[in-house]
Amino acid sequence: MSNNTSLSLAQSKKRRFIKETAQKAVVYVLLSVVGVFMLVPFMWMVTTSLKDAGSVFVFSWIPRQFEWRNYVEAWKGGPTGVSFTRFFMNSIFVSSLVTFGQVFTCAFAAFAFARLKFWGRDKLFLAYLGTMMIPGAVTMIPVYILLSSRYLNWVNSYKALIIPGMFGGAFGTFLLRQFFLTIPKDLEDAARIDGCSTFGIFWRIILPLSKPALATLTTFTFMGVWNDFIWPLIVINTMEKKTLPVALASFQGMYSTDWHLLMAASTIVLMPVLIVYLFNQRFFVRGIVLTGLKQ
Amino acid sequence: MSQISAPARRKHLRENLTGFAFLAPNGIGFLVFGFLPIFASLFLSFASWELITPIKWIGFRNFVGILGFHKDGASVFPNDPYFWKYLLNTFYFMIGIPLGMATSLILALLMNQKIKGINIFRTIYFMPVVSSMIACALLWRWIYHPEVGLLNMFLYLFHIKGPDWLGSMAWAKPSLIVMGIWKGAGYNMLLYLAALQGVPEELYEAARVDGANKWRQFWGITWPLLGPINFLMIIMGVIGGFQSFDVQYVMTGGGPANSTKTMVFYIYEKAFTMFQMGYAAAIAWILAAMIFVFTFLQWKSMGKKVFYV
């Protein structure tokens, strides 16, 4: 009798094991199919970028001969004569300055909204929140007109790419304010008793405690500016001042059928970002969850 | 008020000054590039201005020109047929929102299990999200190439002659939607995964004790608890969907026959290729109004049904 039950127990255990293994196998297969779908475009891009002009149209995953020259040629910028060194410098220059300015000024403003008392504070904050709901297309037109006016004459200059992004930024102010509000006030009170100034409290207590939020805002602002398309498309019209996305977009007109060069250029644009991502994955993931869930 | 002593008043003034000093660097930029332009563009939407001509106040004529209809013989025609066409296109592209969410949810459910190698999958799914939109758009143009694109070469293995994906009226929009799902699925998957991991395990245990199978557990526990995140994704998706532009600009240039032009594409065209600033501002405000109305309606209809744990 007891022998019998232990046998059936072992049997049901075995059956459960088989069932679980089968389930896992199905999950792996499904995840892999999607994984292939996600990866194949990238692989095809790299493959194409290494083919010679003649074999671009052949359905093969391994190039006949690895044409590393494509990268050299794409990097030089072909008919435009402006190389990717320039576009990278433009993108790095613009994105860094905008990010620095925005995180810096947003932190100051967020501290004012979170901790200081001044006339009209809540109404002003409401104005900040209100602009977050307005689509960019609405403000784009007057800002362009302002920059193109003969008083400023900023169109086709780095100033047009940098200044409007550097100061302002309602989302950043909002994000940081919400974070600052979660920091306990006791610390500040203690510091104030010890004679710490308002600026000291902001600089020595609030900012160091807000590193995760500041890091998230920095990353997302940087990525946002780095990938921004419509604004540089509108305000920049010479190749020398174009940022990477706009430069890449104007390439497709010039290399309409040279797909190996277009794919080499795309790879050049994608690689640095993907490498940064692969080494800082946890950080990206945490940032997404933080900003996505708290919006 | 007059009872406030001089030192108190001085302290009050100091507080105000400190507050404004902290706010100023951001506040001035916000005022010039964020806040005042809203009113400037509202003003422009009631004006006719082509940059070189003097500004002319024309009342509601822009809005009538965009939204109005006129009679021609027995039939009625819209004053601006392009606007309505691009509006429909914009809505069409939003089909991608539920499709993308479903894809992301299925992925998140598959990944929300204790199996090895999850990190590798997560890394792969998230790669398109961090990639430059323009580079991805170019890459997918190459995949969709009618004769020698990867997709049609693949289909040819099964003796299927694929269409000219981006060049045909029927396929251009679905092709862009598929590309969009590929690009964005990883993002929503992460949000879903975070939400799934927040569901208390006890709920599932209780359900199992009551004999509920996986299917019932999903619809009875998981789905209702995903309410807030679904709500957030739909709202953000629709707001983003109303403003789509980059992919269309790079992949199809709005073609074939304007079938992939969106509202923002139209604003871009009117403002920055035809320099009809007033008309473009009016379209932008109609777009803004639609975003408000949709967000408000979604808030009203779904906000109440959302559960918070």
Side-chain angles (χ1 to χ4, degrees), chain A residues 97-163:
Chain A
L97 274 182
V98 171
T99 307
F100 172 77
Q102 199 171 125
V103 174
F104 201 70
T105 62
C106 283
F108 272 94
F111 179 72
F113 282 128
R115 284 293 197 267
L116 303 177
K117 282 195 197 103
F118 54 92
W119 178 83
R121 181 186 72 177
D122 296 341
K123 283 196 183 105
L124 280 170
F125 187 64
L126 215 64
Y128 266 74
L129 285 186
T131 58
M132 279 167 65
M133 293 172 57
I134 308 276
V138 167
T139 49
M140 199 167 73
I141 298 165
V143 173
Y144 175 83
I145 293 170
L146 174 73
L147 300 190
S148 67
S149 70
R150 67 196 133 104
Y151 308 106
L152 289 180
N153 204 7
W154 282 2
V155 168
N156 203 27
S157 75
Y158 288 111
K159 277 175 271 182
L161 288 177
I162 295 167
I163 308 285

Side-chain angles (χ1 to χ4, degrees), chain B residues 272-287:
Chain B
F272 302 106
T273 63
M274 303 178 200
F275 295 101
Q276 299 179 12
M277 294 300 177
Y279 201 85
I283 306 169
W285 271 102
I286 293 169
L287 175 74

Side-chain angles (χ1 to χ4, degrees), chain A residues 28 31 38 41 44 48 57 59 105 108 118-119 128 131 138 142 168 252 259 273 277 281 288 292-293 295, chain B residues 16 20 22 26 30 37 41 116 123 125-126 130-132 139 141-142 148 153 182 187 229 232 236 250 272:
Chain A
Y28 273 121
L31 287 175
M38 292 288 179
W44 190 239
T48 308
F57 305 122
F59 187 29
T105 62
F108 272 94
F118 54 92
W119 178 83
Y128 266 74
T131 58
V138 167
Q252 71 168 338
W259 283 102
V273 181
Y277 159 66
Q281 276 184 69
I288 293 273
L293 290 179
Q295 260 168 24
Chain B
N16 266 325
F20 281 114
F22 270 85
N26 194 273
F30 168 78
S41 92
K116 275 181 201 144
T123 307
Y125 298 161
F126 206 64
V130 294
S131 301
S132 147
L139 159 59
R141 254 193 73 204
W142 173 227
V148 288
M153 288 209 266
W182 172 84
Y187 184 88
I229 197 79
L232 176 89
M236 299 311 281
V250 177
F272 302 106

Side-chain angles (χ1 to χ4, degrees), chain A residues 35 54 91 93 148 183 187 193 213-214 237 265 277 292:
Chain A
S91 271
F93 177 62
S148 67
I183 298 172
L187 284 170
I193 290 165
L214 290 170
N237 42 43
Y277 159 66

